[in-house]
Amino acid sequence: MIEIALFAELAAPGQVVPAEPFPNGISRYAIGGLLVGLGAVVIYLGTGIAAGASTFLESTLSYVSDQSRFKQYRGSRDWRVVFTLGIILGAAVYAVFWQGGTWTTDVQPWRLLLGGVLVGIGTRVGKGCTSGHGVCGVGSASKTSIVGVITFLTVAIVTAQIVQAMGVSP
């Protein structure tokens, strides 16, 4: 993009320059968004439940636990397993066809683990995840979900800016 290139040319040495938002073009993101939205519609029409990945662990534990907090998922746990397996399978298909069969990252394992724990805590505190609030909640004009998504995005943007300003890399 021209604007990004100008920022890079005008930047002082050591100054942080914003990355190009869509380095591979916008079409893959638009298609992905349409597929996520279509999946949410199919799940809602098939089950009457808003799609979201945050209850997967609890619904899976309902297969092996008799605790009352897990019993609430017994009627809807099968589609949640299929939903999560679809996420994993989708990533695997992407890796095979567009990344030569491997998925790699430069992020250190401890950071991935810490990030997963923090996301899990945030999901519990926020009473849902970005797929539930961001796709289904905002799509149904839920005030709680709209506030949640604004909060998710604000925290993510601020955190990314702080980490980038500190010079932290994967």
Side-chain angles (χ1 to χ4, degrees):
M1 297 185 91
I2 294 171
E3 297 87 13
I4 301 297
L6 289 176
F7 281 134
E9 290 175 12
L10 299 175
Q15 183 178 2
V16 175
V17 179
E20 184 173 339
F22 302 106
N24 299 315
I26 198 166
S27 62
R28 65 176 55 189
Y29 304 104
I31 291 168
L34 289 172
L35 290 173
V36 168
L38 177 64
V41 168
V42 168
I43 289 172
Y44 184 76
L45 291 176
T47 66
I49 299 171
S54 63
T55 57
F56 172 72
L57 177 61
E58 286 190 17
S59 62
T60 303
L61 289 174
S62 73
Y63 285 106
V64 295
S65 176
D66 288 328
Q67 289 187 16
S68 60
R69 70 183 270 190
F70 300 127
K71 289 182 181 180
Q72 66 180 324
Y73 299 107
R74 293 216 169 142
S76 66
R77 63 186 176 186
D78 295 338
W79 76 263
R80 295 175 199 271
V81 172
V82 172
F83 180 78
T84 304
L85 290 175
I87 292 171
I88 295 167
L89 182 61
V93 167
Y94 180 83
V96 167
F97 287 104
W98 286 281
Q99 292 185 320
T102 60
W103 182 80
T104 61
T105 181
D106 293 332
V107 179
Q108 298 166 348
W110 72 268
R111 288 186 179 173
L112 290 174
L113 179 64
L114 178 62
V117 168
L118 291 174
V119 167
I121 292 168
T123 298
R124 296 303 289 169
V125 171
K127 295 186 175 23
C129 60
T130 53
S131 60
H133 284 300
V135 177
C136 299
V138 170
S140 63
S142 163
K143 290 178 185 171
T144 302
S145 291
I146 291 169
V147 170
V149 169
I150 290 169
T151 303
F152 299 158
L153 290 175
T154 302
V155 170
I157 291 167
V158 169
T159 301
Q161 294 302 313
I162 291 170
V163 168
Q164 185 178 23
M166 291 171 55
V168 176
S169 64

